[in-house]
Each structure stands twice: as C-alpha cells, then as structure tokens.
Amino acid sequence: MSRTTLDLWVGVFVVIGFGALLFLALRVGNFAAANFSETYSVRAQFDNIGGLKVRAPVKSAGVVVGRVADIRFDTQSYRAEVTFAMDARYEFPRDTIASILTSGLLGEQYIGLDPGADLDMLGNGDAIQITQSAVVLEKLIGQFMFDRAAEPAN
C-alpha cells in the first residue's frame, strides 16, 4: 500500500472520529433540534431554578412536550420566570403543576408537568400558577445538619 493511500485512510478515520465527537457533544449538550412545527408560549415562576438552562426539555409522563425558551429574573417578585415553548399538539389544563426535576447520570434538569383536572386549557401567554422549585442538595444537607444539632443529647 502506498504512503498516499495510507494517509488518505488515516484522514478519513480522523474526520469520522471528529464527526462522532461532535455528534456526542451535541447530544450531551442538549442541542438536538426540536421538531415542533407550531408552538405556544407558557410562563411559570420558580423560587429557585437550580441548574435549569435554556433549551432544557419540558416533559409530561416522560414525553418531551416542549423546550425552555427563556429564563429571566423578575425584579417585582424576585423570582425566576421561565418561559417554555410548548408543542401545539399537546394541551394542558390551567391547573397543571410545573416542577423542576433532575434526570440521568449527568444531572440534567428539566421541567416536569403534572396535568390537573380543569376543563379550561392553557393558551399562548398564560402562566402556570402552581410550581415546585428545584431541590438544592446544599440546602437539604444544611437543613439535616441543623436539625440534628437542635436535637437534645441523650
């Protein structure tokens, strides 16, 4: 085999390797293209969003039904306001509960929706009223430590 042919094959394998690394980086970084044709916007306010990021999935029953579109700080209520783009194929009742949950080994955070029983559905620009903030491990550990310190010694 000539040196030129060998160099060509090495180059092909290097390009394939970089392509595979790019694919994995995009999958881990949650940059997979959303295939939602039509969306509507829904807002929710949280006391603490933890490590939630823009483009994080919005799931209900384990199915991705939307993506986080925007995160901002509301200076009036001093809470984080999260806006999500919901797939128009999925409608949710007005009394839906939005929670920030963690999944996977990498600790990816996402919005979990638990539908309520209201007959009226959320529309474009509506706000979810009932929310549950992210669980912050440091706060849990601190609370456990202070509770243990407050107990009387036996």
Side-chain angles (χ1 to χ4, degrees):
M1 189 183 300
S2 70
R3 177 81 177 167
T4 307
T5 307
L6 183 63
D7 289 344
L8 178 66
W9 280 109
V10 168
V12 167
F13 283 116
V14 168
V15 169
I16 290 172
F18 279 129
L21 285 175
L22 179 65
F23 174 76
L24 288 174
L26 291 176
R27 295 296 282 173
V28 169
N30 202 15
F31 291 112
N35 55 3
F36 305 141
S37 55
E38 290 186 39
T39 62
Y40 63 98
S41 179
V42 176
R43 298 177 287 113
Q45 287 193 340
F46 297 92
D47 292 326
N48 190 338
I49 60 167
L52 187 71
K53 300 198 178 349
V54 173
R55 304 239 348 110
V58 177
K59 297 181 181 182
S60 183
V63 177
V64 176
V65 295
R67 293 265 175 202
V68 173
D70 185 40
I71 300 172
R72 68 179 192 83
F73 184 71
D74 184 4
T75 56
Q76 301 299 321
S77 65
Y78 298 104
R79 299 177 76 195
E81 184 170 282
V82 179
T83 304
F84 8 103
M86 301 291 293
D87 189 339
R89 295 179 294 177
Y90 307 112
E91 293 183 336
F92 288 89
R94 286 195 180 275
D95 59 348
T96 295
I97 301 170
S99 306
I100 298 178
L101 305 169
T102 304
S103 72
L105 295 174
L106 298 176
E108 172 191 42
Q109 290 195 313
Y110 66 95
I111 302 282
L113 297 180
D114 293 320
D118 198 341
L119 296 177
D120 293 330
M121 297 296 167
L122 289 168
N124 190 33
D126 286 346
I128 294 177
Q129 299 301 319
I130 307 169
T131 61
Q132 181 179 353
S133 296
V135 175
V136 180
L137 187 60
E138 290 83 7
K139 282 187 176 182
L140 287 177
I141 293 172
Q143 185 179 10
F144 175 74
M145 296 297 287
F146 286 122
D147 286 347
R148 296 293 283 171
E151 290 179 2
N154 290 331

